[in-house]
Amino acid sequence: MTARLDLAIFDAADINRVGSFYAGITGWDVVRQDPDRFGLRTPDGQEIEFQRAPDHVAPQWPGQEHPQQLHLDLQTADPRAEAGRAVGLGATRLADGPTWITLADPAGHPFDLCQADGVGPVMRLFAVTIDAPDASALAHFYADLTGMALSYDGLEGALITGDGKSLMFQQVDDYDPPRWPDPAHPQQAHLDLLVDDLDTGEARAVELGARRLGAGGERFRVFTDPAGHPFCLVR
């Protein structure tokens, strides 16, 4: 295994507002709060962060002119009640599904409240879900890069799991990729993947189809995956 999934990081202009929103709706612990990052941790140790982006342009779900790119799937025993509470905390209700409700957080990022029996008062992070023009191919890329197992592969998407974490890949036929750092086609979020050695990690990522971008430092390097999503290898 070359890389280990660390966390997903969402862009937002007001990280305190959106971070506090998720802390309030999910019950997760705040583990980082500084001028540039707001971090949350689930009871099972998964982490989500919000990164300050003063020029953030919110996605406009469900279209692809300003696409969502990544979203969170959150599990709760009562999506309807929690959706009402989320709206009271600043969310916007977007759509209702058979067992889920789609909302947008105060920064405009869509997220899903999914029904799951046995979930207590603290929500469960089921998956970070990534849009792709070929969900199966992107799932295989990340599975090969991280060593996570392919748990599901179907027409609507694919799922990889490992170390108590899940990445879902959602098939989007009219997918429009980010073109970071182009402000006209910005990223909405990215993944941080931990590696022991940046050179080895880069060689493996590029071998699998990633592209190195001209950004980074001594502790991290920036790439795009085969679908155009930026991600960081972090030492």
Side-chain angles (χ1 to χ4, degrees):
M1 182 172 63
T2 297
R4 303 177 300 281
L5 175 61
D6 186 22
L7 72 167
I9 302 172
F10 289 79
D11 288 358
D14 189 341
I15 59 173
N16 288 314
R17 184 184 181 205
V18 70
S20 296
F21 165 81
Y22 278 104
I25 189 64
T26 63
W28 300 345
D29 293 331
V30 177
V31 293
R32 180 173 183 177
Q33 191 170 5
D34 60 42
D36 295 316
R37 295 282 186 93
F38 192 115
L40 300 172
R41 181 179 295 145
T42 70
D44 61 1
Q46 300 186 74
E47 293 190 15
I48 299 294
E49 285 191 352
F50 303 93
Q51 173 177 269
R52 184 174 178 270
D55 57 351
H56 175 248
V57 177
Q60 298 175 12
W61 186 89
Q64 284 295 302
E65 185 174 350
H66 299 286
Q68 66 175 355
Q69 300 171 14
L70 278 73
H71 74 272
L72 299 177
D73 284 329
L74 309 176
Q75 291 182 326
T76 176
D78 191 344
R80 194 168 301 277
E82 294 298 340
R85 194 165 66 88
V87 169
L89 291 171
T92 302
R93 193 162 180 156
L94 298 177
D96 288 23
T99 59
W100 71 87
I101 297 173
T102 302
L103 303 100
D105 66 28
H109 299 292
F111 66 96
D112 287 338
L113 295 180
C114 307
Q115 200 282 325
D117 294 334
V119 179
V122 177
M123 289 186 185
R124 181 185 301 148
L125 175 58
F126 171 68
V128 176
T129 299
I130 303 174
D131 291 354
D134 186 336
S136 178
L138 195 59
H140 279 88
F141 166 81
Y142 279 104
D144 289 342
L145 182 59
T146 64
M148 296 171 74
L150 184 68
S151 302
Y152 175 79
D153 195 354
L155 293 177
E156 73 282 10
L159 177 71
I160 64 173
T161 58
D163 293 328
K165 300 177 181 179
S166 299
L167 290 176
M168 177 75 80
F169 301 89
Q170 178 171 268
Q171 183 68 35
V172 178
D173 293 333
D174 59 346
Y175 170 77
D176 184 16
R179 302 172 196 174
W180 187 90
D182 182 355
H185 301 274
Q187 69 172 10
Q188 292 293 339
H190 73 275
L191 300 178
D192 272 2
L193 306 176
L194 298 175
V195 293
D196 295 326
D197 180 82
L198 285 173
D199 290 336
T200 302
E202 175 175 342
R204 180 59 173 158
V206 171
E207 176 189 15
L208 292 171
R211 182 170 63 92
R212 171 85 185 269
L213 299 180
E218 293 184 358
R219 294 192 61 251
F220 73 98
R221 295 176 188 173
V222 184
F223 302 80
T224 56
D225 66 27
H229 298 290
F231 69 92
C232 292
L233 294 182
V234 181
R235 180 171 59 85

